[in-house]
Amino acid sequence: MTTTGIVTLRGEAELVRRAGALFDGVRREFLCVAGDLDTWSAAASGVRRSPAPGLVVRKLYGPGVFLAPGGPELLDRLAAAGAEVRISPAPPTHEAIVVDRRLAVLAAPRPAAGGVRTYSVVQGPDVVAGVRALFDAAWETSTDLAAYRRAPFPRLGEDERAVLRSLAAGHTDATASRLLGVSLRTYRRRVASLMTALGARSRFQAGLRAREILGGAAHPDA
């Protein structure tokens, strides 16, 4: 791998094979921004599980991470292991990793079904500094995990709010999935994720919280 060039790798398996040693060699600082839990699941697994003493680990995620299966639990494990975790106001536009201010990895947009995602590994000092500056700007406008959890309700996107409107209206799963144009299985999965995000123990409780969030405006087909 060249010192100043950009190397493009196809798929996370190749990223781990070609650049894995660079991740393993992190000593001072590991910065990561991701829209979901899967983007760097293999590439940064070692850093994610057990940060070394003195290593600064900062993880920035989009709000959708709370709706992913196991998302809230993973965030808790990261924080317990010593990582600093923040939640951005909206899904990150770009996903990247910066290691020790000397290496950056940029994830290309997620391809269509069946496509292979590419990753650009950059070691040019100016480019790495630019990526890190963008990370710092996003970090400063994001909310610490603990503070985010203390907010009255999680920040939800329109898809989640559509499910909330169905819950607030008391629709059956079959009716709600038809109105939203999704499969019954998908709708139930979204409901389960929302119940976790809202801290609701039952559909009834989720419906009550939905009405609080929506201010009483329940129009599921809006």
Side-chain angles (χ1 to χ4, degrees):
M1 191 173 296
T2 63
T3 303
T4 59
I6 299 176
V7 176
T8 300
L9 305 176
R10 291 177 55 80
E12 197 164 348
E14 184 178 9
L15 174 62
V16 173
R17 181 170 58 84
R18 297 278 301 277
L22 298 173
F23 292 121
D24 293 339
V26 60
R27 292 291 179 267
R28 296 183 300 158
E29 181 183 75
F30 184 90
L31 311 178
C32 174
V33 54
D36 55 48
L37 299 179
D38 298 327
T39 303
W40 310 107
S41 58
S45 59
V47 176
R48 183 178 65 191
R49 292 192 185 102
S50 54
L55 173 64
V56 174
V57 177
R58 289 182 173 175
K59 299 283 188 99
L60 178 60
Y61 288 105
V65 70
F66 282 96
L67 303 178
E73 293 79 10
L74 174 60
L75 296 178
D76 289 340
R77 290 197 299 271
L78 285 170
E84 300 176 45
V85 181
R86 290 192 179 184
I87 308 300
S88 62
T93 305
H94 302 287
E95 297 176 294
I97 283 176
V98 183
V99 176
D100 286 342
R101 306 192 183 206
R102 60 180 172 79
L103 167 76
V105 183
L106 310 177
R110 198 175 296 278
V116 178
R117 197 173 196 183
T118 60
Y119 300 86
S120 297
V121 182
V122 185
Q123 289 184 283
D126 292 342
V127 178
V128 173
V131 175
R132 190 182 185 283
L134 290 174
F135 178 91
D136 286 344
W139 184 261
E140 290 302 318
T141 59
S142 299
T143 305
D144 177 76
L145 176 61
Y148 191 93
R149 286 185 180 279
R150 288 196 298 269
F153 303 106
R155 285 78 162 172
L156 302 173
E158 184 52 38
D159 287 345
E160 289 75 39
R161 286 184 173 272
V163 175
L164 283 179
R165 288 192 287 269
S166 291
L167 288 172
H171 282 158
T172 65
D173 289 358
T175 298
S177 63
R178 177 175 54 80
L179 289 172
L180 299 181
V182 299
S183 69
L184 184 60
R185 181 177 180 180
T186 295
Y187 176 76
R188 286 174 173 168
R189 184 174 67 246
R190 290 180 180 177
V191 169
S193 296
L194 275 172
M195 288 178 63
T196 299
L198 297 173
R201 297 182 179 179
S202 67
R203 291 289 190 95
F204 178 75
Q205 188 178 24
L208 291 178
R209 299 208 69 188
R211 292 185 180 90
E212 293 178 51
I213 294 173
L214 298 172
H219 303 290
D221 51 355

